[in-house]
Amino acid sequence: MNNSFQDAVVTKYNIFNSLFLSLPYRGIFQTGSLLPILTQQSEIGFQEGKSPKEIIEHFFSELLETATPKERADLLFAFIQYIERQVVLFDSVEDAAFDETHDLTGKGSVTYLTERLENDELKKKLLAKLEDFSVRIVLTAHPTQFYSGKVLGIINDLEDAIKANDFTEVNQLLLQLGKTAFINHEKPTPFDEAVSLCWFLENVYYDAIPSILEKLINGLGMSVHDWPYPNVFRLGFWPGGDRDGNPFVNPEITLKVADRLRETLLRGYYRDIRQLKRRLTFKGVDDAVSLAEKKMNSTIFGPFEEGYGSAQELIDELLKAREVLVNKHQGLFVELLDNFILKLNLFGFFFASLDVRQDSRKHGKAWEDILKRLEKKIPLLKYSDYQSWDEAKKIDLLLSLNIPLRDEDYEDELTKDILGSIRAIKTIQEKNGEKGAHRYVISNNTSALNVMQVVALAKNLIADEEGRLALDVVPLFETVDDLANAPGIMRTLYENEYYRNHLSNRENHQTIMVGFSDGTKDGGYLRANWSIYRAKEELTKVSREFGIKVTFFDGRGGPPARGGGNNHNFYSSLGKDIEDKEIQLTVQGQTISSNYGTVTTAMYNLERLFTAGLENHLFKGHRDDELTDADKDLIEEMAEIAYNSYLDLKNHPMFVKYLDKKTPLRFYGQTNIGSRPTKRGNDDEGLKFEDLRAIPFVGSWAQMKQNVPGFYGFGTAIRELAKQDKVEDIKKLYQKSLFFRTLIENSMQSLSKAFFPATKYLRDEEEYREFWDKMYEEFLLTRELLLEVSSQKELLDSNNVTKVSIKTRERIVLPLITIQQYALQMLAGDPKKLQVDVETYNQLIIRAMFGIINAARNSA
């Protein structure tokens, strides 16, 4: 695939890239002509150990010596704008060539899976598995998408024009791109974020998921009409429901977003019904389709009482029409009707389930408010006494309360929001169906009490007449300590009679979320991934003990440092000791647009997640890569050494100061890419590590081209075990275990996107020299030892498409890195020697962030 990528992507990009020079914009020829020179001078300059400041000053002294400081700054901004558009072009060319550079029917595809079902026994085994198996992709609005909706639209159109080799259309779109702003001048609201992600639901997932199912059904020799498992794919949605640290999300926004999800879906249904109407023109069928069109119109626009109350109502009508079509019209075009009914069964009237999320500490404060109010009415119940009780007694009290919880009884806005958000779940269920909103995720879950606080609130707010809750409460375990404590917490919950009865009403099903982002921030790459793996094993064990079907919901980000990378390999590698009935994970920002931005890429990646979840079950007898106890002990040794190495860095006196003063971290809040603040806590309190959000934390290391969270400690761990003559054991583990191999190769992605020469100038500052050296030495050590363990000559030799893509992208943005580091270097110097005002340097840093992040595709 390496040569095909070079021909289909790199060569084609270079051809289309030349079109920029001919665009009729003032100064663009000069910008496009000088930019390659800056690229070359950056490459040579960094090789020679020059600082970004020296490279930029040399560039101007050699080529534009007479330019004024303002003219120089203007040219740097022009370079940034030019490179931003080059990145868009490369994205479009790469996406357009996706089917040439990837084997769409190869390993991991649905086609490959069904072709391996060599006998009826395997087919029956698959169908039995599908009775309770599903893949749930949850779209989140975390601020990792640096492209505006307008630019995403151009990328989509560019891809089509490039596929068709339509140079005229490409040229027109590049003209449009030149006039289109890349940045938001104001922060998006949570509703804006929801609308932006609804574009992907409407234009990608609406077609991609049914298409995958049709491939699967056809591959199994079954009919769409008789397919009994429409829920093997599900969609989740966080914008408008995720209020963890986002003060701009409230119950009104939650309800508004749920309405938008429904409206977006119904518009798709309406278009499909109109298409059906063009084909199903036969007596006894045409009237039914016309009625469906009329009622769907009323369902969307009103009068609502004349529309459909549920998807099932529409399905029942269409099934009656289908009988007529089959019995009286030879089933002509019946496949079109069946495919539409499949969509109705998949998406209902909700499209994606809207999750509500809040931090456990907020629930504690809400209960403090509630109990203190109750204390005024019942003096014997004192909140100060409650605080001194053990956990079991606190839980018993909360569950014993049957009290009205009214917004008007409380002044605290937080309490009102929590009460309103739980009530909103019931409102959404009444309109969109129960699947429209049925999960409450608890961030920072550290105890069984954290779960029961939410259960007790819901019990008093939305339980039915028999006391049952149509709600799944999902604890989120993130830190190393929380992951270690998670099995004990779940045991306490399973042993609680009220909670056990609640689960029996939810089909004995418990979803548990684990967070890769904050886990890595807390414990480093290797420790976080291994802690999650072991926690899943222990949580599976305790859940099976109580007869509970546990599902793991992975909070993953884009880069390996936040649980990203080649995710399907992780799911393929899970052993028998980890429950695998469902695969659930978050996808966000860049990951949505790069991995799921088109129907083709979405189908490719969704299929691989889907089949990964089935591999263990179907072909376990063919596998010999299960981790033995000795293997697990070896990984545990590495994880612990890596953890201590990462802690040593994290506890370094320069760690937080370096992030605050030397990286673009402090500029993240000014990019206007997300509605959520970039850190928890009060801005007046200064930067605290515990308040840092994982996205700007990981993203800042990516901007510095250091990518520390994605590799740090891995090299030290291997070196220390090498001293115990265990290198050969590690090499054997790499060859044997897909899980360990994926850990290494995802870390290689982080290493391959690192470029320490860009920040080597920081060694000149005595305060930071030792800290920079520490990171660089670990980078060199990890790179060397991962190559040795994997027997590769270069990073990512095992994945040439990814390797060439990264190399090309990194070269495109090299001038951006130089410009951004130049601006940071200038701001760190003597203010009296600045050639332009401080704000100009600030803007250079912020504007460069967009291109650097977008080029990497999964760095934030």
Side-chain angles (χ1 to χ4, degrees):
M1 285 290 177
N2 189 16
N3 290 334
S4 67
F5 189 89
Q6 186 70 36
D7 296 339
V9 179
V10 180
T11 301
K12 209 166 190 178
Y13 163 75
N14 288 329
I15 293 169
F16 283 116
N17 186 42
S18 64
L19 294 177
F20 279 118
L21 290 174
S22 62
L23 295 180
Y25 295 131
R26 182 183 174 188
I28 196 165
F29 187 81
Q30 181 194 39
T31 303
S33 300
L34 291 174
L35 183 55
I37 300 172
L38 179 58
T39 301
Q40 188 178 42
Q41 290 195 0
S42 294
E43 288 174 331
I44 295 169
F46 285 130
Q47 283 175 9
E48 295 175 349
K50 290 181 180 177
S51 71
K53 182 171 179 284
E54 289 171 328
I55 292 169
I56 293 292
E57 288 179 349
H58 173 71
F59 170 80
F60 281 116
S61 65
E62 191 173 78
L63 297 168
L64 295 163
E65 189 175 5
T66 60
T68 66
K70 184 182 182 306
E71 288 171 339
R72 294 183 179 200
D74 287 345
L75 181 60
L76 294 180
F77 279 116
F79 284 154
I80 291 171
Q81 292 174 316
Y82 197 99
I83 295 168
E84 283 175 336
R85 285 149 182 83
Q86 286 182 312
V87 171
V88 167
L89 177 62
F90 191 83
D91 283 347
S92 302
V93 173
E94 188 169 17
D95 288 344
F98 193 86
D99 55 354
E100 297 178 59
T101 57
H102 294 76
D103 188 354
L104 302 186
T105 59
K107 187 176 181 182
S109 69
V110 163
T111 302
Y112 185 78
L113 174 75
T114 54
E115 287 176 348
R116 292 170 71 201
L117 301 177
E118 300 158 353
N119 52 54
D120 288 340
E121 189 67 32
L122 276 174
K123 181 179 174 181
K124 287 177 183 176
K125 197 174 180 182
L126 171 62
L127 293 175
K129 175 70 173 175
L130 293 179
E131 288 180 8
D132 62 358
F133 175 78
S134 71
V135 172
R136 184 191 292 240
I137 296 292
V138 181
L139 309 187
T140 78
H142 291 355
T144 63
Q145 179 52 269
F146 278 63
Y147 284 140
S148 67
K150 291 176 287 189
V151 175
L152 285 170
I154 297 172
I155 292 174
N156 189 65
D157 294 340
L158 256 178
E159 180 193 337
D160 292 338
I162 289 166
K163 266 186 178 177
N165 285 319
D166 187 340
F167 278 76
T168 303
E169 180 65 12
V170 170
N171 198 59
Q172 288 293 313
L173 290 167
L174 293 181
L175 274 168
Q176 181 187 356
L177 200 61
K179 288 279 190 181
T180 303
F182 269 53
I183 59 172
N184 297 316
H185 294 291
E186 295 179 356
K187 279 183 179 291
T189 67
F191 186 70
D192 292 334
E193 292 171 328
V195 169
S196 177
L197 289 189
C198 279
W199 185 93
F200 292 99
L201 291 178
E202 184 175 9
N203 293 283
V204 178
Y205 290 94
Y206 184 76
D207 293 316
I209 291 176
S211 295
I212 295 171
L213 273 184
E214 288 163 30
K215 282 175 66 176
L216 177 64
I217 293 165
N218 292 334
L220 292 170
M222 299 175 69
S223 72
V224 172
H225 176 64
D226 297 323
W227 183 249
Y229 315 117
N231 291 324
V232 290
F233 284 100
R234 301 178 188 179
L235 292 170
F237 206 75
W238 273 19
D242 181 11
R243 61 241 307 124
D244 176 18
N246 192 334
F248 308 110
V249 177
N250 55 46
E252 291 73 31
I253 289 290
T254 303
L255 293 171
K256 191 177 176 183
V257 168
D259 285 343
R260 183 59 177 243
L261 286 168
R262 174 186 165 98
E263 178 191 324
T264 300
L265 175 63
L266 297 185
R267 284 202 309 261
Y269 286 165
Y270 185 70
R271 287 192 295 269
D272 281 357
I273 291 170
R274 289 177 66 87
Q275 288 298 316
L276 282 174
K277 190 178 177 183
R278 292 167 65 92
R279 293 289 172 267
L280 303 183
T281 54
F282 321 123
K283 185 178 179 181
V285 181
D286 55 349
D287 288 345
V289 178
S290 293
L291 178 63
E293 179 189 19
K294 181 180 177 183
K295 290 179 72 173
M296 183 55 69
N297 188 74
S298 296
T299 308
I300 300 170
F301 303 109
F304 302 113
E305 64 275 6
E306 296 180 12
Y308 290 106
S310 69
Q312 192 58 50
E313 189 182 331
L314 173 55
I315 290 169
D316 291 341
E317 286 185 8
L318 293 177
L319 287 175
K320 289 178 183 177
R322 187 185 189 279
E323 285 184 33
V324 178
L325 186 62
V326 171
N327 294 330
K328 296 188 177 181
H329 303 288
Q330 294 77 49
L332 191 59
F333 298 126
V334 72
E335 71 280 358
L336 299 179
L337 185 58
D338 285 344
N339 290 342
F340 179 58
I341 293 172
L342 180 66
K343 284 183 178 178
L344 291 167
N345 280 313
L346 270 169
F347 303 125
F349 270 12
F350 62 93
F351 215 158
S353 297
L354 184 59
D355 290 346
V356 172
R357 182 171 77 131
Q358 183 56 284
D359 189 287
S360 65
R361 291 164 291 193
K362 306 295 185 183
H363 305 130
K365 288 181 179 178
W367 270 112
E368 179 181 352
D369 200 10
I370 293 165
L371 292 175
K372 282 183 175 178
R373 182 178 186 277
L374 206 56
E375 182 180 329
K376 294 175 183 176
K377 294 189 173 185
I378 309 173
L380 291 176
L381 177 62
K382 295 187 180 297
Y383 181 72
S384 57
D385 292 340
Y386 169 84
Q387 284 181 296
S388 67
W389 294 349
D390 63 24
E391 182 179 65
K393 192 173 180 180
K394 287 178 179 178
I395 289 173
D396 287 343
L397 172 71
L398 297 184
L399 291 176
S400 71
L401 296 174
N402 289 295
I403 53 177
L405 295 173
R406 298 179 293 260
D407 287 3
E408 58 268 24
D409 293 337
Y410 302 95
E411 295 181 4
D412 190 275
E413 290 300 320
L414 171 65
T415 303
K416 290 181 178 182
D417 178 73
I418 288 173
L419 300 181
S421 67
I422 294 174
R423 271 194 295 266
I425 291 172
K426 187 171 185 178
T427 303
I428 294 167
Q429 290 182 349
E430 289 168 352
K431 189 171 184 180
N432 294 6
E434 184 182 313
K435 291 180 182 177
H438 63 92
R439 305 204 304 187
Y440 196 112
V441 181
I442 306 169
S443 303
N444 193 45
N445 198 105
T446 61
S447 67
L449 176 63
N450 291 159
V451 173
M452 299 309 283
Q453 285 170 333
V454 172
V455 170
L457 287 170
K459 169 178 169 284
N460 284 282
L461 287 165
I462 61 172
D464 66 15
E465 292 178 357
E466 296 178 12
R468 289 179 299 204
L469 290 172
L471 182 70
D472 298 308
V473 183
V474 182
L476 166 53
F477 301 107
E478 299 177 273
T479 67
V480 172
D481 289 342
D482 290 346
L483 287 164
N485 296 332
I489 290 170
M490 295 314 300
R491 177 177 292 279
T492 300
L493 289 169
Y494 293 155
E495 289 174 342
N496 181 278
E497 184 180 0
Y498 183 92
Y499 194 73
R500 191 69 187 79
N501 289 335
H502 166 65
L503 288 182
S504 68
N505 291 325
R506 304 300 292 168
E507 299 180 341
N508 286 317
H509 179 244
Q510 173 69 55
T511 301
I512 298 172
M513 188 173 182
V514 291
F516 286 80
S517 297
D518 282 286
T520 304
K521 177 184 151 229
D522 179 58
Y525 174 74
L526 189 54
R527 176 78 276 173
N529 278 275
W530 185 238
S531 290
I532 287 171
Y533 188 97
R534 293 311 300 263
K536 285 183 176 181
E537 285 189 323
E538 292 302 313
L539 288 164
T540 297
K541 184 177 178 182
V542 71
S543 298
R544 287 174 177 172
E545 180 185 330
F546 284 87
I548 303 299
K549 294 177 288 187
V550 67
T551 292
F552 296 110
F553 175 22
D554 292 343
R556 295 183 180 273
R562 294 185 49 242
N566 295 323
N567 289 331
H568 59 272
N569 282 343
F570 276 124
Y571 296 112
S572 294
S573 69
L574 299 181
K576 64 183 185 302
D577 295 329
I578 294 178
E579 202 67 79
D580 62 352
K581 292 186 183 300
E582 295 186 43
I583 288 177
Q584 297 190 10
L585 70 157
T586 56
V587 293
Q588 51 195 251
Q590 287 178 313
T591 312
I592 297 171
S593 58
S594 61
N595 289 0
Y596 303 92
T598 68
V599 172
T600 303
T601 57
M603 287 181 65
Y604 179 87
N605 287 295
L606 284 171
E607 285 184 41
R608 275 140 191 82
L609 282 175
F610 175 71
T611 59
L614 299 172
E615 285 284 329
N616 293 335
H617 182 75
L618 291 174
F619 308 111
K620 194 172 290 182
H622 303 175
R623 292 181 54 188
D624 57 2
D625 65 345
E626 289 275 356
L627 292 173
T628 64
D629 288 342
D631 295 331
K632 291 176 182 179
D633 289 343
L634 184 62
I635 299 175
E636 176 60 37
E637 279 188 83
M638 282 189 280
E640 191 59 23
I641 295 167
Y643 179 46
N644 289 324
S645 175
Y646 178 74
L647 283 184
D648 182 54
L649 180 76
K650 195 171 80 170
N651 294 330
H652 193 284
M654 287 294 107
F655 189 86
V656 173
K657 187 174 181 180
Y658 181 84
L659 277 169
D660 192 24
K661 303 298 183 185
K662 294 299 174 183
T663 77
L665 175 67
R666 62 191 186 275
F667 296 97
Y668 255 84
Q670 300 173 49
T671 56
N672 293 331
I673 58 168
S675 65
R676 195 171 70 166
T678 56
K679 74 181 188 75
R680 300 175 175 92
N682 193 325
D683 284 337
D684 298 331
E685 295 174 355
L687 183 65
K688 295 179 181 177
F689 181 80
E690 58 270 22
D691 289 338
L692 270 177
R693 291 199 173 277
I695 290 168
F697 172 74
V698 172
S700 295
W701 291 112
Q703 292 285 322
M704 297 294 284
K705 307 308 293 180
Q706 293 171 327
N707 293 329
V708 164
F711 71 83
Y712 201 91
F714 217 151
T716 295
I718 297 172
R719 183 188 65 193
E720 292 306 305
L721 289 181
K723 294 176 182 178
Q724 302 172 36
D725 296 323
K726 293 184 178 180
V727 168
E728 288 306 313
D729 293 336
I730 297 172
K731 287 181 178 181
K732 288 176 184 175
L733 183 62
Y734 174 84
Q735 294 299 328
K736 169 188 174 180
S737 167
L738 179 60
F739 171 77
F740 187 63
R741 198 156 58 245
T742 304
L743 269 183
I744 283 184
E745 291 178 3
N746 279 351
S747 189
M748 282 183 173
Q749 280 195 35
S750 296
L751 292 166
S752 65
K753 293 177 184 178
F755 186 64
F756 274 80
T759 56
K760 190 178 179 182
Y761 69 91
L762 291 170
R763 291 194 77 256
D764 295 338
E765 298 184 41
E766 190 175 341
E767 189 177 19
Y768 295 102
R769 182 178 302 146
E770 187 260 337
F771 182 72
W772 190 92
D773 285 346
K774 191 179 185 69
M775 292 186 293
Y776 186 48
E777 286 164 10
E778 183 65 27
F779 165 78
L780 293 175
L781 179 66
T782 303
R783 184 177 65 181
E784 175 193 344
L785 293 181
L786 291 192
L787 286 172
E788 180 184 342
V789 165
S790 64
S791 299
Q792 297 182 46
K793 292 182 180 179
E794 286 187 22
L795 294 172
L796 298 175
D797 269 350
S798 59
N799 189 341
N800 274 317
V801 168
T802 300
K803 182 173 81 170
V804 178
S805 177
I806 289 173
K807 280 187 176 180
T808 308
R809 289 172 176 278
E810 292 301 310
R811 190 169 195 275
I812 291 171
V813 296
L814 182 59
L816 278 187
I817 296 162
T818 306
I819 291 168
Q820 187 186 70
Q821 290 297 323
Y822 161 73
L824 286 166
Q825 194 176 357
M826 292 299 290
L827 287 176
D830 186 348
K832 296 176 182 177
K833 294 182 179 179
L834 293 180
Q835 297 175 6
V836 290
D837 59 279
V838 169
E839 185 56 27
T840 298
Y841 291 112
N842 287 343
Q843 287 303 313
L844 282 172
I845 294 165
I846 293 167
R847 288 304 307 276
M849 289 173 74
F850 286 77
I852 295 170
I853 287 289
N854 286 332
R857 284 208 140 176
N858 72 343
S859 286

